[in-house]
């Protein structure tokens, strides 16, 4: 039996998975992400954890096909991290460093790309060849797979959907340094910010005014109950996402958009808001569009990382 490891490096934990070559998940576990000393210990910690698993399971060198890794940053040539601020990394050749520890091939790409690849391989998009995944959480991440190939770009910035400009008139700055980014509106924090701003500019009655602080989930829940103000906020969110997705469609024309992350738990009300406005930003045969919810949850990254090694 042959094996592959999938590794998803996050700012708090590193998720690890052992897979059979056919994509069956055998085991998954986590280790802490040690970001001290500029993230100098992260790769050695991953190598130690995987080597311990290799030894405990009696996996022989010839049985290990390789290890795939997803990281929260730009990656060049599936080897070198160009920049990874969340981990404290500048340029780091992750594939070379981890490969030396494991004695097997290692491939690396952006974490949103591996999540997209995971959904395409074993999740909600497994019936398609081209998919764009957007994760709506604390930030907005994105990964593009076209005809089975990850779109990395020449500098590793391909698929940075969260930083597409959807409002050129915006003056508030995103964490990336730009203004008008999708992340300012479609992240969980962005949804709350925009809703609070709308509350201040309006005297409309809504239960949100009586909550001592509220979350994006509260907004969606009230919208589902028919609260007019909350429904308007969801509609505005849907329009911003539709604008971004329409521009993406007219660039890479994917089979399907996969929506993941914590905000995606809102379900159909979110998809319906996107569909309502999507046609405004597209034309012809792509006006309908396909939008589905991700199905692998937090495991998407390890599945996609493993798929990196398996290839086509």
């Amino acid at each position: 039996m042959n094996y592959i490891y999938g590794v998803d490096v996050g700012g708090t934990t590193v998720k690890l998975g052992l897979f059979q070559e056919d994509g069956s998940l055998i085991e998954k576990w986590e280790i802490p992400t040690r970001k001290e000393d500029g993230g100098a210990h992260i790769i050695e910690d991953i190598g130690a954890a995987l080597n311990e698993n290799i030894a405990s399971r009696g996996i022989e060198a010839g049985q290990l096909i390789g290890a795939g890794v997803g990281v929260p940053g730009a990656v060049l040539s599936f080897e070198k991290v160009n920049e990874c601020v969340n981990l404290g990394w500048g340029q780091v050749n992750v594939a070379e460093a981890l490969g030396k520890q494991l004695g097997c091939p290692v491939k690396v790409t952006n974490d949103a790309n591996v999540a997209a690849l995971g959904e395409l391989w074993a999740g909600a998009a497994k019936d398609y060849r081209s998919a764009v995944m957007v994760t709506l959480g604390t930030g907005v991440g994105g990964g593009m797979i076209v005809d089975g190939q990850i779109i990395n770009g020449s500098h590793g910035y391909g698929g940075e959907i969260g930083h597409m400009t959807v409002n050129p008139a915006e003056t508030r700055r995103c964490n990336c340094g730009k203004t008008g980014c999708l992340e300012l509106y479609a992240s969980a924090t962005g949804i709350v910010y925009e809703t609070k701003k709308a509350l201040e500019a309006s005297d409309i009655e809504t239960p949100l005014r009586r909550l001592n602080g509220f979350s994006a989930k509260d907004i969606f829940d009230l919208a589902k109950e028919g609260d007019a103000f909350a429904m308007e906020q969801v509609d505005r969110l849907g329009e911003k996402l539709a604008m971004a997705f329409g521009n993406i469609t007219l660039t890479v024309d994917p089979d399907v958009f996969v929506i993941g992350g914590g905000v995606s738990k809102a379900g159909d009300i979110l998809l319906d808001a996107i569909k309502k406005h999507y046609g405004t930003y597209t034309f012809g045969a792509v006006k309908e569009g396909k939008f589905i919810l991700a199905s692998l949850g937090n495991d998407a990254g390890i599945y996609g990382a493993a798929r990196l090694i398996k290839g086509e």
Side-chain angles (χ1 to χ4, degrees), residues 205-211 222 225 227:
E205 177 53 35
T206 170
L208 287 171
R209 294 190 186 277
R210 298 191 292 275
L211 293 177
L222 283 170
E225 293 171 9
D227 179 67

Side-chain angles (χ1 to χ4, degrees), residues 97-170:
L98 187 58
K100 284 180 180 177
Q101 284 186 264
L102 300 178
C104 70
V106 173
K107 287 186 178 181
V108 188
T109 192
N110 176 266
D111 57 355
N113 285 338
V114 294
L117 197 57
E119 290 289 346
L120 199 71
W121 186 29
K126 63 184 177 183
D127 294 328
Y128 301 98
R129 285 278 295 164
S130 298
V132 171
M133 182 170 181
V134 181
T135 54
L136 308 176
T138 305
V140 174
M144 296 184 182
I145 314 292
V146 178
D147 293 330
Q149 301 296 313
I150 293 173
I151 303 300
N152 269 325
S154 58
H155 299 90
Y157 282 77
E160 286 288 353
I161 294 165
H163 301 293
M164 291 182 67
T165 299
V166 293
N167 182 8
E170 178 64 75

Side-chain angles (χ1 to χ4, degrees), residues 24 39 46 52-53 74 81 114 116 127 161 176 179 218 250-251 253 282:
S24 301
I46 294 169
E52 181 180 343
N53 190 264
V81 171
V114 294
D127 294 328
I161 294 165
C176 74
T179 58
D218 293 325
L250 298 178
T251 306
D253 189 14
T282 54

Side-chain angles (χ1 to χ4, degrees), residues 11-63:
T12 305
T13 63
V14 179
K15 299 175 181 66
L16 306 119
L18 174 64
F19 294 82
Q20 292 182 21
E21 190 176 5
D22 66 0
S24 301
L25 178 61
I26 300 169
E27 178 185 3
K28 63 178 180 178
W29 72 106
E30 297 181 359
I31 61 172
T33 304
R34 290 202 291 154
K35 294 189 287 187
E36 60 265 31
D37 302 324
H41 309 291
I42 296 172
I43 297 173
E44 64 185 54
D45 286 351
I46 294 169
L50 295 184
N51 276 323
E52 181 180 343
N53 190 264
I54 289 167
S56 67
R57 288 190 168 272
I59 298 173
E60 298 178 1
Q63 294 179 297

